[in-house]
Amino acid sequence: ELLLLQKEVFTEMYNRYEDHETTPVNQSMDRFIKRFDAGDYYKILFKDRLAGSVFIYEKAPGIMKLHIINIKSEYQNNGIGQTVMKRLEMMYPHIIKWELETILEEKRNCHVYEKMGYIRHGIEKKINEKI
């Protein structure tokens, strides 16, 4: 169910950017299952319904990586992503640095993270001519 949710959430971006290499849409079940041993995976519920999921892992002592967050389109624009991030930060008080990646062309995603206090930093990687 969670892998299908991930594929559903990222299909629109996959179609827009034609990213065949890094898209979560093409992830295999075997690779997906390996996440459960590599970090913490949470379902996101909204009014008792599965609205999304999030996977994080500790990259190094004190450094947490937000690897992927999925929120179904019908649940977006309800502040769920921000609430999830705030709760994760509270659940892991020993973490001093959070890292995440997003697509620069997805202005809404960038805006939400920056609004929450995250600072754009790091390496920009060109995936293809669209992204």
Side-chain angles (χ1 to χ4, degrees):
E1 182 180 24
L2 293 174
L3 180 57
L4 290 175
L5 178 138
Q6 173 180 293
K7 290 175 184 268
E8 174 188 334
V9 168
F10 284 96
T11 293
E12 181 184 331
M13 277 193 260
Y14 172 71
N15 292 336
R16 183 169 43 245
Y17 299 117
E18 299 178 11
D19 169 21
H20 308 293
E21 300 300 317
T22 66
T23 180
V25 171
N26 292 335
Q27 189 172 57
S28 69
M29 178 61 84
D30 184 53
R31 187 164 174 215
F32 181 81
I33 288 173
K34 287 180 182 176
R35 284 185 185 165
F36 293 93
D37 293 327
D40 297 325
Y41 202 94
Y42 298 98
K43 291 179 183 179
I44 299 171
L45 301 176
F46 185 75
K47 297 184 180 178
D48 297 324
R49 296 203 180 270
L50 181 62
S53 64
V54 62
F55 171 65
I56 60 173
Y57 64 91
E58 196 161 357
K59 187 174 171 181
I63 302 173
M64 190 68 82
K65 173 82 174 205
L66 171 72
H67 181 71
I68 195 165
I69 186 167
N70 317 305
I71 300 173
K72 288 182 175 184
S73 60
E74 63 263 33
Y75 296 104
Q76 292 178 8
N77 300 314
N78 286 298
I80 294 171
Q82 291 180 62
T83 300
V84 168
M85 291 299 298
K86 288 175 187 172
R87 287 187 184 181
L88 288 171
E89 291 169 354
M90 287 189 304
M91 290 169 62
Y92 298 88
H94 67 286
I95 298 300
I96 56 173
K97 180 179 177 184
W98 286 81
E99 293 183 358
L100 57 93
E101 295 174 5
T102 193
I103 300 170
L104 288 176
E105 290 80 4
E106 291 296 311
K107 301 298 182 200
R108 193 173 89 190
N109 289 357
C110 294
H111 173 74
V112 168
Y113 294 132
E114 289 171 353
K115 182 172 134 181
M116 293 183 65
Y118 287 85
I119 299 166
R120 194 178 296 196
H121 174 69
I123 300 168
E124 291 184 18
K125 179 181 173 186
K126 186 170 183 81
I127 306 296
N128 64 34
E129 64 281 347
K130 294 183 178 184
I131 184 174

